Structures are given as C-alpha cells and as structure tokens.
Amino acid sequence: YTEAVAAFRRAVELDKEDKDYRRMLGAALALGARTPDTYKEAAAVLGEAQQSDPDNPDIIYTLGQLHLRFNALEEARRYLLLAVKRGK
C-alpha cells in the first residue's frame, strides 16, 4: 500500500478539493495501517473525507472496518451500523 499512499498523497496535494482523492488516500492508509500511528492517520484522513461527503457509504464502511481491526469496537459498531443504513 506504500505506493498507493504516496500516489494519493500527491494527488491530494495537486487537487485539495477532490473528494475522491482524499477518500482513496484514506482507504489506502486504512488498508496499510499496522501501528497505532498509522491507524490514527487513516482515521483522521477518512474523517476529513467523511466531512466533505458525509453520506458516502464507502467512507463510513472503511472507517468501521479500520476501527474494528484496531479493536475500537464501539466506534466500529457505530460506523458499520451507519454503513448498513446507507446501503453498503
């Protein structure tokens, strides 16, 4: 995921307004997260993506999966239930 993260970071730098680039960066960070620091960074980027696209079920689901992997069960439950309601 390192190459994907680098590519999406660059894309976000070039076009800070593009919601899809930020969402894809968050997803790549989430998939590659292995430490508490990378977990926090992925959650922060996905949180920013959700602020600009609050009803996007892909962002919500990815946040739920990320929190589940890092045993943040209440957060995971909240996001995964919301993802189901949004049709994911």
Side-chain angles (χ1 to χ4, degrees):
Y1 301 104
T2 305
E3 290 178 22
V5 167
F8 290 127
R9 280 190 202 282
R10 181 70 178 136
V12 168
E13 286 175 15
L14 293 172
D15 188 351
K16 291 179 180 27
E17 302 301 316
D18 191 297
K19 294 186 290 187
D20 290 327
Y21 290 156
R22 190 164 303 282
R23 176 183 57 80
M24 290 183 283
L25 172 58
L29 286 165
L31 289 169
R34 300 287 183 267
T35 67
D37 287 340
T38 57
Y39 161 70
K40 289 176 189 174
E41 182 183 14
V45 171
L46 286 166
E48 292 170 8
Q50 188 189 22
Q51 285 180 348
S52 65
D53 195 2
D55 294 322
N56 186 313
D58 292 325
I59 296 169
I60 296 165
Y61 178 77
T62 304
L63 275 163
Q65 288 294 317
L66 174 67
H67 290 303
L68 184 62
R69 281 188 32 227
F70 281 86
N71 209 32
L73 301 181
E74 287 302 315
E75 286 294 302
R77 182 178 186 276
R78 183 170 68 91
Y79 282 110
L80 292 172
L81 287 173
L82 186 56
V84 169
K85 288 179 185 177
R86 297 284 191 264
K88 180 69 179 173

